[in-house]
Amino acid sequence: MKKVLAIYGSPRRKGNTATLLDRAVQGALEAGAEVEKIYLRDLEISPCLEIYGCKELGRCVIQDDFQKIQDQLMACQGLMLASPIFFYTVSAHTKTLMDRCQSLWVKKYWIDKVPYGQWEPKRKGLFISVGATKGRKLFDGTLLTVKYFFDVLDMELWKPLLYRGLDFEGDILKHPEYLQEAYEAGKELALALNES
Ligand SMILES: Cc1cc2nc3c(=O)[nH]c(=O)nc-3n(C[C@H](O)[C@H](O)[C@H](O)COP(=O)(O)O)c2cc1C
């Protein structure tokens, strides 16, 4: 059974991205994946302290909830990451997790010496995001951030689901078509993992 990690990156427990991710989780479960959920807002994760304690072993030395997430990130075949847009990037909760994964960047590029840009992604990532405004460039910066975060995890950005014009908690419920899309994406992800 393929393992999928679902990371909830919003401070809102039942916000727009969380509701979308719930639907994606449902789809993945129905397609036979094993899904573990992580709610970043409930965890104690320090920002990266840039001390490079990871230089020897490629493992972050700060002892907090990131340690468990690191193992989960390494063990999954698929990732579903959901974050709202905050100031044209991911939420602080999500960015803190990403920055702590610098230890995995160190492992990949400094310790294992993987040639930059010369690897085949072995895993697949679904990224779900929502912003209040409707600008054409709303997700541009975030997509770059996510692409390079997934690179560290040997993961392709398999599918982004990006929705504009959603602000208040519950706004997503006015768009059953978006929820259906998230459900289908979760299902497709699990099926794609079974094939790979
Ligand atoms: C700190 C903060 C920064 C935000 N920055 C943006 C922004 O740059 N662009 C935008 O369109 N919406 C922005 N928003 C609105 C959120 O993206 C929007 O409310 C979204 O629906 C929240 O998703 P959630 O319910 O999953 O948390 C911001 C909201 C907060 C609280």
Side-chain angles (χ1 to χ4, degrees):
M1 196 184 273
K2 300 292 179 176
K3 279 191 184 159
V4 173
L5 195 59
I7 300 186
Y8 292 75
S10 171
R12 283 181 180 156
R13 285 181 208 285
K14 295 190 173 157
N16 297 312
T17 52
T19 306
L20 284 160
L21 184 51
D22 281 342
R23 295 303 305 274
V25 166
Q26 190 191 344
L29 286 171
E30 286 179 18
E34 180 187 327
V35 183
E36 279 183 319
K37 295 181 178 184
I38 294 177
Y39 293 87
L40 292 178
R41 59 109 61 218
D42 294 334
L43 302 179
E44 295 290 332
I45 304 179
S46 156
C48 172
L49 299 179
E50 217 179 350
I51 50 178
Y52 282 100
C54 53
K55 220 167 49 188
E56 305 304 321
L57 300 174
R59 190 160 183 114
C60 186
V61 295
I62 305 169
Q63 294 303 317
D64 61 12
D65 289 332
F66 175 72
Q67 294 295 332
K68 183 169 177 222
I69 297 188
Q70 175 169 331
D71 294 336
Q72 290 171 295
L73 277 171
M74 298 317 287
C76 68
Q77 285 83 44
L79 175 65
M80 303 197 288
L81 174 67
S83 170
I85 295 295
F86 282 1
F87 287 95
Y88 287 85
T89 187
V90 291
S91 68
H93 291 83
T94 309
K95 187 60 166 54
T96 301
L97 171 71
M98 290 176 165
D99 287 355
R100 289 290 294 282
C101 288
Q102 178 70 356
S103 50
L104 301 176
W105 187 96
V106 163
K107 176 160 177 18
K108 179 170 175 174
Y109 291 112
W110 285 359
I111 299 176
D112 296 344
K113 297 191 172 27
V114 173
Y116 200 74
Q118 291 180 34
W119 52 275
E120 286 294 317
K122 296 187 199 77
R123 310 192 289 162
K124 296 186 193 304
L126 167 68
F127 176 60
I128 298 176
S129 192
V130 157
T133 55
K134 295 193 172 168
R136 192 170 51 85
K137 295 187 174 174
L138 179 58
F139 298 105
D140 285 10
T142 308
L143 283 174
L144 262 185
T145 302
V146 170
K147 177 176 177 230
Y148 287 102
F149 172 57
F150 281 4
D151 173 295
V152 165
L153 302 174
D154 281 338
M155 197 171 270
E156 64 168 318
L157 176 51
W158 170 76
K159 185 177 291 221
L161 290 181
L162 310 170
Y163 301 109
R164 294 170 169 80
L166 302 172
D167 200 2
F168 300 106
E169 203 168 287
D171 276 357
I172 190 67
L173 300 175
K174 297 173 206 150
H175 293 274
E177 72 281 17
Y178 297 167
L179 294 169
Q180 183 63 23
E181 222 170 4
Y183 169 79
E184 300 289 347
K187 203 167 189 167
E188 276 171 41
L189 175 68
L191 295 174
L193 293 177
N194 279 338
E195 282 163 19
S196 57

